[in-house]
Amino acid sequence: MVEAVSRMLFVERVRTQAGLLWMTHFSSDGEENLGLVQRDDLNRTYRENISPSSSQSEHDEEDTENTQPRITTWEAGWNVTNAIQGIFVLGLPYAVLQSGYTGLLLLVLSALLCCYTGKILISCLYEEDEGGRSRRVRHTYADIADACWCRLCPRLGGKLVNVAQVVELMMTCILYLVVSSNLMGHSFPFLPLTPATCSALTFLTLMPCMLIRDLKVVSQLSFLCSLAHFLITFVVIGYCLRQAPRWTYGGLRLAVDFDSFLVAAGVIIFSYTSQIFLPTLEGCMADRGQFRGMMDWTHALACVLKAAFSLLALLTWGEDTKEVVSDNLPPALRMMVNLCLLAKALLSYPLPFYSAAQLLQTGVLRTDTGQYERSVGPEWHTLVLRASLLFLSFVMALYIPHFSLLMGLTGSVTGAVMTLLLPALFHLQLKWSRLSAAGKLLDAVILGLGCICSLAGVIRSIRAMIHAFAST
């Protein structure tokens, strides 16, 4: 009995010391965050009483924020749907074929995980004031990183997050350019279009993106993009249902190759990623209280459509399912699907492009994007920046060899880190004292999963790049 009590006391002492170590060196919770809100109130009072010019400037900023275009919950949902219902969906049946029955389970678990990490990331933007009211004291992913890493590397954490976001967004833009150019060539085989000509036509088609003034326009394009996606999905599902008498039920298996499973897991998990867009989207919502509900229905809809799409495709084509499932369709139907995919790829480009431009302006160049949104004509430096980004993505898509492998390596590093690892880490640091034991355990599991996914993806991508360069 004495030994049992001693053991319990020892375990409790270790747990207490571990908690104190975390709170002392890593956690940014408690009085420091409350002090952030209180200091904000004190600074505002000081400026109102001592510095009239500063107070007037702040009121001008608040008026500007209130007059900026807001997006509805539905428009925010279309943006998230556009991000998580991307062109990746065409590779999901093949990914599920490689991962077997665990792939279907992974489709559901990935939706739950990415929905959860999106919510906890946004919760890190808020702190409670002395009255218990939740206030948005941070505005970007980088602000969260600065708050969490202020003791270890002041201001450096936000810069690193900004760089990672810009790299991932630009890689996404380049991917859409590559896909659009290829689809344009395949959709019009009767025209003498070279790959370079298709890339140039795609570049010219996307030039109006430089004139986008606010997220509302991007939301409207995302709505059209989602319609194109749903049309593609329902066309493939309709064709599969018509082939029901010839369905085969041996496409899925329990035993799978480990390397194939890692590839499939990467495709499935990263088909749900939208975290880098969420702080901007939530900040532009007219009713931010509906954000969590919006995340629930968008991810539930994506999960149902992806699971049904993958399962019906496997029942129809079985082991003959190709890496891009549209290649299994008859020629006439394939051309129609390719045209819809071309429209989707072109309409998907503005969201990452706009986000990358905003990040560069606010996070790196520190220019006033609100001035561009308020002005009658576009600011020249904004046009130069956006034109440079558009041209850079065009050149990289046109000339970089083994681009898909480079994309895989970048996605493995930034995708897993930004989607799983950092949201869980930041949530633990900022909300430690308010989390239950189950919440801390869940965040710790997601943190470990993010590390494993990132490390496995990097090793696999580097191995594939070495093999590709050796073969050439």
Side-chain angles (χ1 to χ4, degrees):
M1 183 67 180
V2 175
E3 292 181 359
V5 173
S6 301
R7 191 180 301 110
M8 291 176 62
L9 290 174
F10 175 74
V11 171
E12 183 65 27
R13 189 181 301 113
V14 170
R15 188 171 65 178
T16 302
Q17 291 297 326
L20 288 174
L21 179 64
W22 174 270
M23 292 293 293
T24 303
H25 296 284
F26 298 102
S27 178
S28 301
D29 196 11
E31 294 181 359
E32 182 179 344
N33 291 329
L34 184 59
L36 177 65
V37 180
Q38 292 172 340
R39 285 195 299 271
D40 186 68
D41 290 335
L42 289 173
N43 288 337
R44 180 178 293 106
T45 303
Y46 175 81
R47 285 195 296 266
E48 288 175 352
N49 294 333
I50 304 300
S51 179
S53 59
S54 299
S55 176
Q56 182 64 38
S57 174
E58 180 181 337
H59 286 305
D60 290 343
E61 290 179 4
E62 291 178 354
D63 293 339
T64 299
E65 183 178 356
N66 292 331
T67 57
Q68 287 180 3
R70 294 290 177 180
I71 60 175
T72 65
T73 303
W74 284 101
E75 289 172 331
W78 288 124
N79 276 296
V80 174
T81 301
N82 180 21
I84 64 178
Q85 296 272 33
I87 296 179
F88 267 127
V89 73
L90 294 176
L92 285 181
Y94 185 79
V96 174
L97 176 67
Q98 298 297 311
S99 55
Y101 286 101
T102 55
L104 292 176
L105 178 61
L106 196 57
L107 277 173
V108 179
L109 290 178
S110 298
L112 293 173
L113 280 179
C114 291
C115 182
Y116 173 74
T117 56
K119 291 178 181 178
I120 63 175
L121 178 66
I122 294 303
S123 72
C124 292
L125 299 173
Y126 291 84
E127 296 294 342
E128 291 184 357
D129 59 15
E130 291 178 309
R133 294 171 299 180
S134 183
R135 292 188 51 199
R136 199 176 199 264
V137 297
R138 306 178 189 96
H139 304 283
T140 64
Y141 211 141
D143 291 342
I144 300 173
D146 282 332
C148 291
W149 296 338
C150 59
R151 297 175 181 174
L152 297 177
C153 47
R155 297 296 176 185
L156 181 60
K159 290 183 174 65
L160 292 176
V161 168
N162 276 333
V163 169
Q165 288 184 96
V166 170
V167 169
E168 185 171 356
L169 289 167
M170 286 307 299
M171 285 296 183
T172 304
C173 290
I174 297 167
L175 175 63
Y176 283 134
L177 269 175
V178 172
V179 170
S180 299
S181 302
N182 291 337
L183 287 171
M184 186 176 292
H186 294 156
S187 300
F188 306 102
F190 48 87
L191 295 177
L193 297 175
T194 63
T197 303
C198 292
S199 298
L201 290 175
T202 304
F203 172 75
L204 294 175
T205 304
L206 294 172
M207 285 189 69
C209 292
M210 295 188 299
L211 304 177
I212 294 177
R213 308 183 67 81
D214 54 65
L215 201 60
K216 194 171 186 66
V217 176
V218 180
S219 300
Q220 293 167 352
L221 294 176
S222 295
F223 173 73
L224 296 176
C225 179
S226 299
L227 289 182
H229 171 79
F230 290 142
L231 179 60
I232 296 167
T233 303
F234 292 137
V235 165
V236 176
I237 289 177
Y239 177 82
C240 292
L241 290 175
R242 290 193 62 183
Q243 305 298 315
R246 291 184 287 180
W247 280 355
T248 58
Y249 296 90
L252 291 177
R253 54 188 182 275
L254 285 174
V256 293
D257 179 69
F258 183 69
D259 286 339
S260 299
F261 175 78
L262 284 180
V263 174
V267 172
I268 291 172
I269 291 175
F270 297 127
S271 70
Y272 284 103
T273 57
S274 62
Q275 277 70 9
I276 56 178
F277 306 111
L278 294 182
T280 302
L281 282 177
E282 194 264 353
C284 291
M285 288 179 64
D287 186 359
R288 295 174 184 171
Q290 297 185 4
F291 174 81
R292 297 179 70 88
M294 180 271 294
M295 290 290 289
D296 289 335
W297 68 257
T298 51
H299 284 74
L301 177 63
C303 180
V304 171
L305 284 179
K306 289 177 179 181
F309 184 85
S310 302
L311 185 58
L312 290 176
L314 288 175
L315 289 174
T316 303
W317 293 294
E319 294 286 343
D320 295 327
T321 302
K322 297 183 178 179
E323 291 189 33
V324 180
V325 75
S326 59
D327 291 339
N328 288 99
L329 296 172
L333 196 58
R334 190 189 314 157
M335 179 177 290
M336 178 181 130
V337 170
N338 282 341
L339 287 173
C340 292
L341 284 172
L342 175 60
K344 176 175 173 53
L346 292 174
L347 291 170
S348 297
Y349 186 90
L351 179 59
F353 177 79
Y354 177 83
S355 300
Q358 291 291 98
L359 271 174
L360 280 175
Q361 286 184 265
T362 59
V364 179
L365 302 179
R366 304 290 183 182
T367 58
D368 182 13
T369 57
Q371 183 179 358
Y372 170 67
E373 293 168 355
R374 297 190 300 270
S375 62
V376 177
E379 293 290 324
W380 67 268
H381 55 78
T382 301
L383 283 179
V384 169
L385 173 64
R386 294 185 177 185
S388 301
L389 289 178
L390 184 61
F391 186 72
L392 176 64
S393 63
F394 167 69
V395 172
M396 291 184 69
L398 195 60
Y399 289 107
I400 291 184
H402 301 297
F403 176 75
S404 60
L405 298 178
L406 179 61
M407 175 72 73
L409 178 60
T410 306
S412 297
V413 175
T414 61
V417 170
M418 304 295 290
T419 302
L420 299 175
L421 196 154
L422 289 184
L425 177 62
F426 293 161
H427 194 234
L428 282 172
Q429 289 184 266
L430 293 173
K431 309 294 181 181
W432 176 266
S433 63
R434 277 163 280 179
L435 287 176
S436 63
K440 294 175 184 176
L441 178 61
L442 178 59
D443 285 347
V445 170
I446 296 175
L447 185 63
L449 182 62
C451 294
I452 293 172
C453 288
S454 181
L455 182 61
V458 169
I459 293 174
R460 189 187 69 246
S461 298
I462 292 177
R463 188 192 310 169
M465 290 183 73
I466 293 174
H467 178 72
F469 281 106
S471 61
T472 56

